[in-house]
Amino acid sequence: MANTRSLLGWLLSSLHDKGFDCVVFGGWAEELLGLQEAWCHSDIDLLLVAENFDSLDTVTADATTAFQEIPGKRFKHKRAFLCRDVMCEIILVRESRVGLATDFWGDTRFYRHSPLAVETAIELHGTSVQVTSAQNLAKYRSERSTLRPDRWRDPASLEPRKAFE
């Protein structure tokens, strides 16, 4: 299936139904905020404010869901899965004493601006979606290289899959 606005809306609605209120990030956020012209997106990037990925891991471990985990992208800060043949990456954002942060690779803290999302939700195919702010997109783009994006190729960075009951 093509990575369309319709798929993005369906994915966010499906995740919401499973208890995950994700915030659109990356290229889709840039497009929805009008910062970029529409283009053919290769993936879907989302942010999830939570303490951990335990609940999401339970959902992606269930073979009956539309989400098929990509084990090679299982890190302390991120999970990835295929949804209708489109890769979706979800980055964990935690509330800390100082503010909202992502611990890339478990040891590289990245603070996000508050609020995380724009004030007004965006309507997308009958689904009201939260989109990260332009300020947060710019901060991530300017600091991305300091977060060691190359570490995803290091097998030692992978987080082992837990055994679920």
Side-chain angles (χ1 to χ4, degrees), residues 19-40:
F20 306 105
D21 289 319
C22 294
V23 177
V24 180
F25 187 64
W28 272 113
E30 290 174 343
E31 182 176 322
L32 293 173
L33 292 174
L35 302 174
Q36 293 284 339
E37 294 293 321
W39 78 92
C40 183

Side-chain angles (χ1 to χ4, degrees), residues 73-144:
K73 288 195 164 241
R74 171 182 263 274
F75 303 108
K76 292 191 181 299
H77 68 282
K78 174 170 51 174
R79 294 295 191 265
F81 56 85
L82 289 177
C83 174
R84 297 185 177 175
D85 297 324
V86 173
M87 182 173 66
C88 177
E89 296 182 308
I90 298 183
I91 297 173
L92 185 66
V93 177
R94 290 194 233 186
E95 294 183 33
S96 72
R97 292 184 314 250
V98 181
L100 297 171
T102 296
D103 291 326
F104 285 87
W105 319 109
D107 61 12
T108 305
R109 184 156 281 187
F110 174 76
Y111 288 101
R112 298 180 185 275
H113 294 291
S114 186
L116 182 62
V118 293
E119 190 172 305
T120 305
I122 294 175
E123 192 70 23
L124 187 63
H125 290 277
T127 301
S128 188
V129 302
Q130 294 295 317
V131 179
T132 196
S133 67
Q135 187 179 25
N136 273 308
L137 288 166
K139 183 177 190 324
Y140 177 77
R141 291 254 187 245
S142 71
E143 296 180 31
R144 184 174 188 272

